[in-house]
Amino acid sequence: MSEFIVHSVPGSPYGRAVLATLVEKGASYRLSPVAFGTWRCEPHISRHPFGRVPVLEHDGFMLYESQAILRYLDRVLPGPALTPIDPKAAARMDQVMNVCDWYLFQGVNNVIGFHRIVRPRLMGLAPDEAAIAEAMPKAHVVFNELSRLLGSKNYLAEERVTLADILVAPQLDFLVETPEWKPLTAASPNLVSWLHRMNARASFKATTWERVAELAKAA
Ligand SMILES: N[C@@H](CCC(=O)N[C@@H](CS)C(=O)NCC(=O)O)C(=O)O
């Protein structure tokens, strides 16, 4: 099997989902770090016309959009299947992945995560408290819905890990250290336990911000 190259940055929740999928499937990969501030310049803009990460490169095949990448990896790699066979569970997986992209990332993580984590850590700027406060009602809706969809199961789509868990967990883990985490999860202890379960997996231990930063340094 030819090499998997992941163009990404340490800390990127979407990038982490791709790396964790590779680890779950038992595949090796090479991280190709994209320096902060160069995402909209060549060569990255030719890989991703919208100037984002991650991008997967496999045997000359370039692919962006994390859902597409995760599904591609699940199809081409041996190792445990990360997509349910049961149509209802598969539909639930797809639904949760879209909730992640449309509601959890857009308007929640790209506001709260951006202002609490990215701006201070990477840009040396203070968070915009008004923007965070404005995002909180939507964040509560998203957290409550993810908690409802999880219910008493161990994982989001069925009783084993699927791509839905791998896509959502890095987004939630990004918010754990923020002051918003406690209020957002106060009514969702099942979500907190689920995230503990995800973080205990080898794939998540291997793809923390710090671990990926080490890989980026060595690249
Ligand atoms: N829909 C894209 C979203 C990717 C995305 O937004 N990635 C973030 C980092 S986790 C990014 O590149 N942000 C840069 C920006 O917003 O300019 C995907 O699924 O891969």
Side-chain angles (χ1 to χ4, degrees), residues 29-144:
Y29 62 85
R30 179 159 66 81
L31 177 75
S32 164
V34 187
F36 193 69
T38 68
W39 305 2
R40 288 181 174 77
C41 310
E42 292 295 356
H44 192 67
I45 199 72
S46 288
R47 298 181 196 118
H48 197 312
F50 305 103
R52 292 180 180 235
V53 293
V55 175
L56 178 77
E57 185 173 345
H58 180 221
D59 211 8
F61 176 58
M62 305 291 285
L63 188 63
Y64 64 85
E65 284 306 306
S66 302
Q67 287 205 31
I69 298 172
L70 265 53
R71 288 192 170 89
Y72 175 73
L73 294 174
D74 198 25
R75 286 181 187 121
V76 298
L77 284 166
L82 297 170
T83 302
I85 292 168
D86 173 65
K88 288 195 173 73
R92 191 65 80 205
M93 180 190 90
D94 291 343
Q95 179 188 31
V96 170
M97 291 174 86
N98 281 292
V99 167
C100 179
D101 286 355
W102 278 86
Y103 313 113
L104 174 58
F105 181 67
Q106 299 293 342
V108 176
N109 221 358
N110 73 349
V111 178
I112 301 174
F114 176 74
H115 284 287
R116 282 275 179 246
I117 312 280
V118 176
R119 265 171 68 111
R121 261 210 214 185
L122 300 179
M123 301 159 86
L125 297 170
D128 178 339
E129 296 295 339
I132 293 170
E134 205 180 315
M136 283 302 276
K138 180 174 179 189
H140 276 290
V141 174
V142 175
F143 273 66
N144 290 346

